[in-house]
Amino acid sequence: MFITSQGFKKLINEAYKRYGLRIGNDGEGYYISGGHWVIWVMHGWIPKKELASIIELTGEMPDPEEGFKATKDGNQYELPWNEAYAAMTNAMECEEYIDVTPLTLKYHNGQQARLLQNPLNKTIVLIDEKFVDIVDNSVVQYDKGELQAEGPMISGKMRGVFWRNDTMALHVYPRTDDENKRVIGYLEEFGIMNKTGEKG
């Protein structure tokens, strides 16, 4: 996995306490979802530490073709969420990279959002800053043949941004910021980054 162990644990703990942590098994891998993000991991590629963090909250992992929402009140089985199952498929269909700019904005409840900008049409996408921090190729299991992550990338079919490698995908949904619409609109009129990745 290309997400830090500490970052992964924080993600699933937040989801469990706030929205409920969704886990599903499509027969080839597991999806793990916290409302505005989805991680899909191929069977056998969740590291022991991360797997232990999940089971500490849920007490179990779903059988093939099953899924549940885990909260402090217990696990509630539900129909698998098809879009979550498709996180890897959608990630593999992405062909355009999006630039991670050095700019952030405060939005709902003082949370930090990082501005990502499409280098082709200058469109800006906001995502939680934490995802930029926790994606880390230094934690990839290279010794087991896992490849480094690509991304962030965007798809014409799905909202949000994706990171991917050969064993997992991360789909992060965009955040909205009505208070800063004018600022964002202004920034979309020019490129924050130039072609070499430096500030424009």
Side-chain angles (χ1 to χ4, degrees):
M1 291 177 67
F2 50 75
I3 294 177
T4 64
S5 185
Q6 182 179 3
F8 178 80
K9 187 169 185 177
K10 187 175 180 180
L11 272 184
I12 63 173
N13 280 325
E14 286 179 352
Y16 181 81
K17 293 174 183 176
R18 296 181 64 186
Y19 317 103
L21 179 65
R22 284 185 160 88
I23 310 284
N25 180 347
D26 66 4
E28 295 182 6
Y30 294 103
Y31 75 73
I32 306 152
S33 176
H36 63 283
W37 55 268
V38 178
I39 294 169
W40 184 93
V41 188
M42 189 183 298
H43 285 165
W45 286 94
I46 301 179
K48 291 181 180 179
K49 194 171 183 179
E50 282 75 359
L51 185 59
S53 295
I54 296 171
I55 294 176
E56 183 180 344
L57 297 175
T58 65
E60 61 178 324
M61 293 295 282
D63 291 328
E65 309 304 327
E66 291 186 350
F68 57 76
K69 179 180 179 181
T71 69
K72 62 182 180 181
D73 296 320
N75 297 343
Q76 180 180 350
Y77 277 78
E78 58 185 13
L79 292 174
W81 178 23
N82 290 335
E83 188 175 304
Y85 274 172
M88 175 61 97
T89 301
N90 291 329
M92 295 306 293
E93 290 178 354
C94 291
E95 296 180 353
E96 297 180 25
Y97 285 87
I98 189 166
D99 291 329
V100 178
T101 79
L103 303 183
T104 60
L105 288 174
K106 284 187 178 180
Y107 70 109
H108 183 66
N109 292 331
Q111 297 179 72
Q112 289 288 124
R114 179 66 71 100
L115 279 70
L116 279 60
Q117 189 167 47
N118 186 326
L120 300 178
N121 60 21
K122 313 306 179 193
T123 300
I124 287 174
V125 178
L126 298 178
I127 64 169
D128 281 350
E129 169 74 358
K130 61 190 173 192
F131 292 103
V132 176
D133 294 334
I134 68 175
V135 173
D136 185 354
N137 273 314
S138 72
V139 299
V140 169
Q141 300 174 84
Y142 295 110
D143 58 326
K144 295 183 178 180
E146 186 179 12
L147 303 178
Q148 73 175 25
E150 297 180 279
M153 306 181 78
I154 52 177
S155 166
K157 297 180 180 179
M158 296 295 301
R159 294 172 63 244
V161 299
F162 295 82
W163 282 263
R164 70 188 186 200
N165 70 0
D166 56 323
T167 66
M168 73 167 284
L170 168 63
H171 182 187
V172 180
Y173 290 86
R175 311 307 280 170
T176 57
D177 187 350
D178 293 334
E179 293 181 3
N180 291 299
K181 271 187 175 180
R182 293 182 65 183
V183 173
I184 294 169
Y186 173 73
L187 293 172
E188 287 182 329
E189 293 181 7
F190 68 95
I192 299 172
M193 310 284 282
N194 66 26
K195 291 182 180 179
T196 61
E198 298 296 329
K199 293 169 68 175

